[in-house]
């Protein structure tokens, strides 16, 4: 099935998403630098961009930068006074992301904070809430990322969690995979929190079988 999923993704990208040499160059830079190809797909990137546009986000938090591909999709939708803070533990990933974001002309809107995301989140202190938060780093820490995401939210913040289906393993209650365990706890927390309205979508495509959660903060 993977071949067919990829073919459909490629068809849809070709039909729906304008060719973009900057985004393509960013992926090429990531590959040349040896970064893993675990960025969002173009269709997912466009979805992130649309979500930023729909909620009129001015302040965005991203947890998990890699080479800044998803960062760029979102940053391009920000107004001139917008801000995107993205958190990345790996120095090489952070360095490539900074180069890419500079090359793409959005560096003035984006801060790449290098270091373990939990440490950065603890150190942010008092600040205005974020309008949109994209959680896409190490999945065992997803429950903690959700706690911090809520801490930095307001009613109307949109919290997106990527890679929550994991080839269907998310339904396995006896899993020993720490990423799946993290995602399962994350989903339990989302589902049990009366402050949130949540959905999840399964996806197939060039990145395999996975999915994401979308959580709207009703109240804090
Ligand atoms: N959002 C990126 C995109 O779509 O282009 C992909 C992010 S990739 C799936 C996950 C990233 O999270 C990796 O670059 C990894 O180094 C980073 N990461 C893993 N553990 C982390 C941690 N504890 N703190 C911050 N970043 C972390």
């Amino acid at each position: 099935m993977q071949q067919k999923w990829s073919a459909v993704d490629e068809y849809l990208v070709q039909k729906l998403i304008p060719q973009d040499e900057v985004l393509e160059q960013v992926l090429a830079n990531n590959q040349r630098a040896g970064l893993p190809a675990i960025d969002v797909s173009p269709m997912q990137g466009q979805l992130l961009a649309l979500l930023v546009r729909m909620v009129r986000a001015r302040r965005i938090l991203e947890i998990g930068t890699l080479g800044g591909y998803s960062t760029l999709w979102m940053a391009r939708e920000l107004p001139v006074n917008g801000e995107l803070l993205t958190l990345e533990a790996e120095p090489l990933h952070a360095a490539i992301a900074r180069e890419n974001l500079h090359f793409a002309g959005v560096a003035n809107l984006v801060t790449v904070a290098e270091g373990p995301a939990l440490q950065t989140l603890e150190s942010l202190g008092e600040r205005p809430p974020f309008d949109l938060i994209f959680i896409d780093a190490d999945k065992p820490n997803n429950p903690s990322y959700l706690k911090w995401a809520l801490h930095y939210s307001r009613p109307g913040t949109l919290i997106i969690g990527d890679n929550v289906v994991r080839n269907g393993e998310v339904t396995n209650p006896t899993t020993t995979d720490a990423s799946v365990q993290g995602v399962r706890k994350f989903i339990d927390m989302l589902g049990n929190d009366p402050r949130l309205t949540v959905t999840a979508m399964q996806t197939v495509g060039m990145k395999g079988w996975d999915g994401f959660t979308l959580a709207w903060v009703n109240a804090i």
Side-chain angles (χ1 to χ4, degrees):
M1 282 309 280
Q2 181 56 57
Q3 235 180 349
K4 211 156 190 183
W5 294 341
S6 293
V8 172
D9 234 3
E10 276 152 27
Y11 166 81
L12 292 172
V13 168
Q14 194 205 334
K15 292 286 179 188
L16 302 177
I17 306 205
Q19 211 187 341
D20 189 314
E21 283 171 13
V22 175
L23 284 163
E24 283 166 16
Q25 187 61 51
V26 164
L27 290 181
N29 294 346
N30 291 354
Q31 192 182 15
R32 192 170 336 104
L35 270 50
I38 51 173
D39 1 54
V40 295
S41 70
M43 298 297 280
Q44 292 163 339
Q46 183 78 289
L47 175 64
L48 288 171
L50 285 170
L51 291 170
V52 171
R53 196 182 296 184
M54 285 189 271
V55 304
R56 295 188 167 83
R58 192 179 80 72
R59 296 172 43 76
I60 298 174
L61 171 67
E62 177 180 59
I63 307 175
T65 317
L66 192 63
Y69 182 73
S70 54
T71 321
L72 176 55
W73 275 103
M74 294 189 286
R76 281 176 162 181
E77 296 294 327
L78 285 171
V80 284
N81 63 347
E83 296 167 35
L84 193 159
L85 173 63
T86 182
L87 315 185
E88 176 54 54
E90 288 294 328
L92 174 66
H93 298 184
I96 300 296
R98 287 194 191 100
E99 278 176 28
N100 281 332
L101 296 164
H102 182 77
F103 163 74
V106 296
N108 58 323
L109 299 171
V110 181
T111 303
V112 181
E114 194 175 310
L118 284 178
Q119 276 179 26
T120 308
L121 288 164
E122 271 165 23
S123 70
L124 289 181
E126 281 298 305
R127 53 166 55 224
F130 293 99
D131 307 312
L132 182 145
I133 300 175
F134 179 43
I135 302 174
D136 189 21
D138 49 330
K139 310 310 170 196
N141 275 325
N142 263 23
S144 302
Y145 294 148
L146 180 58
K147 281 187 198 147
W148 280 110
L150 286 163
H151 179 80
Y152 291 118
S153 288
R154 58 166 172 80
T157 295
L158 184 64
I159 302 173
I160 307 157
D162 202 12
N163 307 124
V164 298
V165 171
R166 314 197 72 77
N167 279 311
E169 266 304 286
V170 70
T171 59
N172 180 359
T174 58
T175 182
T176 53
D177 180 327
S179 293
V180 178
Q181 288 170 344
V183 164
R184 284 176 59 85
K185 186 155 181 223
F186 176 70
I187 288 177
D188 283 345
M189 288 167 66
L190 287 170
N192 290 325
D193 195 323
R195 296 171 296 177
L196 298 173
T197 303
V198 191
T199 190
M201 300 296 293
Q202 297 190 65
T203 56
V204 293
M206 55 180 68
K207 301 283 175 176
W209 176 24
D210 215 327
F212 60 89
T213 52
L214 271 186
W216 179 264
V217 179
N218 305 312
I220 282 291

